[in-house]
Amino acid sequence: CNRNDKQYVGFATLPNQVHRKSVKKGFDFTLMVAGESGLGKSTLVNSLFLTDLYKDRKLLNAEERINQTVEITKHTVDIEEKGVKLKLTIVDTPGFGDAVNNNECWKPITDYIDQQFEQYFRDESGLNRKNILDNRVHCCLYFIPPFGHGLRPVDVEFMKALHEKVNIVPLISKADCLTPNEVKKLKDRVRDEIEHFGIKVYQFPECDSDEEEEFKQMDKELKECTPFAVIGSNTVVEARGQRVRGRLYPWGIVEVENQSHCDFVKLRNMLIRSHMHDLKDVTCDVHYENYRAHCIQEMTSKLAQDNRTDSPLPILPLPTPDVETERLIKMKDEEVQNNHH
Amino acid sequence: MSEIVPPEVRPKPAVPAKPSHVALPSRSALLGYIGIDTIIEQMRKKTMKTGFDFNIMVVGQSGLGKSTLVNTLFKSQVSRRSTGWSRDEKIPKTVEIKSVSHVIEEGGVKMKLTVIDTPGFGDQINNENCWEPISKYINEQYEKFLKEEVNIARKKRIPDTRVHCCLYFISPTGHTLRQLDTEFMKHLSRVVNIIPIIAKSDTLTLDEKTEFKQRVRKELEACGIECYPQKEFDEDMEDKSDNDKIREAMPFAVVGSDKEYQANGKRILGRKTAWGVVEVENPNHCEFSLLRDFMIRSHLQDLKEVTHNIHYETYRAKRLNDNGGLHPISSGQDTQESNLTFCMDTPCLCE
């Protein structure tokens, strides 16, 4: 019911109060980038966040890479804009898909994601919950090469291994080697294959019915445009009298932020300006809760196996076992399992 | 230097604000602007959609104007006595806990306000331990929340019935706090946010008021009672200086009223006597506006946060240490019994 001026209580300021506190505290966001080397992941990250995170990177040659396994590297940067502080963490996965034999090359990545969930679960169940660090991965940009005819087996397997652990946003990388028609064909193909293989990529939430038309239109365009075909650039070039981020070719200049050239702007708007909060929410409310429920059920069934159901389950607080003990426990477990069969 | 969004203090006509959509900035601005600050707007949209809960408890002897004050604070009939108040209602033999919920809306913000009344407190001949049912109720709400948190399949938004604020009504004797007052606050100030107020303060002159307040503050300090806002939870210098000002003005001497009168060409809330009209919202007459601005317009969210981050965490830590563990519950089990009576009135009983 509507209230007139006389009856103004003042709790309409509540959103402001909430946000004042959030602004003071600052935000954090963890973004993972995955895909083969050379697909422009680092460049894209630099373009998205206007930074240069990979200044001192040393690229390995083919021989050096023979013995390289998939690593997980983290770069953290603090960004401030208009008084809002963001602690951005980029989780990179060098080595993914680069070997000759790429069997289960996503395992270090799924392990990493699980570890962050586990860490959060322990912290959340502990006694001192004042300053829990949230290292959970909020979004994973997966880079699909533009050279093929759709998803490759490694793409499908990777996404299926991760779609229930993290928000996956598939991208068609280095889209400047495709004509508009080719882009459209590839997007359609990838979309069909995603559906065919039952891959659950990140879904944009439905628009409210009371949203403005312009917003609804934007939302519709966003949804129809996936997977985004992106181009990144670390260099600034002169185009049409302006300085823009772009790539200079003999036949023309590709402008990163030109919407008719690629979907970079759509990706950035989605990732940062409209869906960052939702990506975090889905990570907390869906992926993390799934992990947690699964974890508790496993612990419950393990204890049931050991016939210790009479005592109350010491779920909280979880002790933090040291690495060596964990390893021994795991070894013993496997032994027992093997003996059963 | 970070820009802090200042809390709104001036009254605005409550036309619900249209949520602004994410506008694409002009071409020239794109070069150096990432857009991180828009996350504030994303959060705002989300919180406005989900709405807010606020639970306020009023404690004090009967006749101190508790129900009237709450109605005045929220400018609607939200207290237990909103429906059919009979002055002949008997004083209950023990302290009862009666809770009433309403959904009120302002400026597009929906709030589910629950007022928890404690009739019978301090009204008996022997009032020993009359705070126990109250303490029990508060802890039961913490327990309810804890059980939900520990659940395997947790709700996305755990229903929050914890008491965010306890308004304690001090009788305007003009002398000092009574033993009942200090006993109650001693037992409960570490469990819930207590805001002491001097009720029916229109019986005190300005000088009497100042002296009484000073004496009350001294006595609270002497007993080691820390009311909200607690000094130890001031986060930074800005908080400290804001809160110091409030602490120096507490306890607020208030007058409540749900009757309107004509004064200075305006319709105001007040109490009409033979010697004049006491204007509730006139800061020269009483400190009602101070209380309202402090509680609702600037510290509403903080009251909830201190409850969640401090009082609830203290309770939780104690529980974990006591039992050495908690059962994860797989599906809704019944909560402990308590002598609380819920009566959900029809939403939004505005005039």
Side-chain angles (χ1 to χ4, degrees), chain A residues 129-174:
Chain A
R129 308 200 295 182
K130 225 172 178 203
N131 291 315
I132 301 182
L133 265 181
D134 187 4
N135 289 322
R136 298 174 293 183
V137 179
H138 300 123
C139 177
C140 175
L141 296 179
Y142 185 68
F143 288 68
I144 300 168
F147 314 120
H149 294 286
L151 296 177
R152 305 160 301 161
V154 70
D155 300 327
V156 174
E157 290 307 307
F158 175 88
M159 289 199 272
K160 288 194 77 163
L162 265 86
H163 64 175
E164 281 172 350
K165 292 182 192 286
V166 71
N167 295 317
I168 299 185
V169 175
L171 304 174
I172 296 173
S173 54
K174 295 204 164 174

Side-chain angles (χ1 to χ4, degrees), chain B residues 289-337:
Chain B
S289 332
L290 274 182
L291 173 70
R292 182 207 39 215
D293 289 347
F294 156 63
M295 229 185 80
I296 300 180
R297 295 184 190 176
S298 61
H299 284 68
L300 197 61
Q301 180 61 21
D302 190 59
L303 279 162
K304 293 178 69 172
E305 289 196 0
V306 173
T307 306
H308 179 67
N309 295 333
I310 308 210
H311 298 302
Y312 170 69
E313 287 296 314
T314 310
Y315 175 83
R316 180 178 173 274
K318 216 159 52 95
R319 276 286 270 123
L320 295 186
N321 279 327
D322 283 346
N323 295 3
L326 280 167
H327 286 279
I329 305 166
S330 48
S331 62
Q333 288 182 358
D334 56 85
T335 55
Q336 297 165 13
E337 276 183 325

Side-chain angles (χ1 to χ4, degrees), chain A residues 62-231:
Chain A
E63 268 200 59
E64 283 169 319
R65 280 197 265 167
I66 282 179
N67 291 321
Q68 196 198 28
T69 50
V70 179
E71 274 177 54
I72 307 284
T73 64
K74 265 168 60 164
H75 296 265
T76 302
V77 65
D78 288 315
I79 307 178
E80 181 170 341
E81 218 175 38
K82 295 200 181 160
V84 180
K85 295 193 263 292
L86 176 73
K87 176 165 155 269
L88 174 71
T89 304
I90 305 287
V91 178
D92 210 339
T93 56
F96 173 83
D98 285 344
V100 174
N101 180 358
N102 286 312
N103 256 342
E104 304 231 317
C105 62
W106 49 85
K107 194 140 188 323
I109 300 173
T110 52
D111 283 348
Y112 176 83
I113 294 177
D114 280 344
Q115 273 162 30
Q116 308 316 304
F117 282 156
E118 165 140 3
Q119 179 66 49
Y120 194 83
F121 183 38
R122 279 187 200 284
D123 286 345
E124 197 190 37
S125 310
L127 279 175
N128 187 350
R129 308 200 295 182
K130 225 172 178 203
N131 291 315
I132 301 182
L133 265 181
D134 187 4
N135 289 322
R136 298 174 293 183
V137 179
H138 300 123
C139 177
C140 175
L141 296 179
Y142 185 68
F143 288 68
I144 300 168
F147 314 120
H149 294 286
L151 296 177
R152 305 160 301 161
V154 70
D155 300 327
V156 174
E157 290 307 307
F158 175 88
M159 289 199 272
K160 288 194 77 163
L162 265 86
H163 64 175
E164 281 172 350
K165 292 182 192 286
V166 71
N167 295 317
I168 299 185
V169 175
L171 304 174
I172 296 173
S173 54
K174 295 204 164 174
D176 52 345
C177 73
L178 299 171
T179 65
N181 267 341
E182 288 166 350
V183 166
K184 185 174 177 317
K185 266 215 214 116
L186 185 57
K187 281 192 188 182
D188 287 341
R189 184 81 188 255
V190 168
R191 265 205 299 269
D192 287 341
E193 286 174 346
I194 285 177
E195 197 177 322
H196 173 76
F197 287 108
I199 299 171
K200 298 183 223 159
V201 297
Y202 170 69
Q203 296 295 328
F204 304 128
E206 284 306 317
C207 240
D208 287 327
S209 52
D210 59 349
E211 287 283 3
E212 293 176 7
E213 268 315 304
E214 200 180 329
F215 187 82
K216 281 196 201 164
Q217 181 61 23
M218 256 175 54
D219 190 65
K220 188 160 159 285
E221 280 174 23
L222 213 66
K223 288 181 180 152
E224 286 170 358
C225 199
T226 55
F228 298 127
V230 293
I231 300 165

Side-chain angles (χ1 to χ4, degrees), chain A residues 9 21 126 129 269 281 289, chain B residues 24 46 106 154 302 313:
Chain A
V9 173
K21 288 187 178 273
R129 308 200 295 182
N269 287 346
D281 276 353
E289 288 296 316
Chain B
L24 291 178
K46 176 108 196 281
E106 190 175 82
R154 309 198 280 201
D302 190 59
E313 287 296 314

Side-chain angles (χ1 to χ4, degrees), chain B residues 76-95:
Chain B
S76 40
Q77 302 290 333
V78 285
S79 72
R80 179 178 61 96
R81 301 222 160 149
S82 49
T83 44
W85 181 7
S86 146
R87 281 178 198 267
D88 304 322
E89 230 178 70
K90 287 216 178 83
I91 291 178
K93 289 276 163 66
T94 54
V95 178

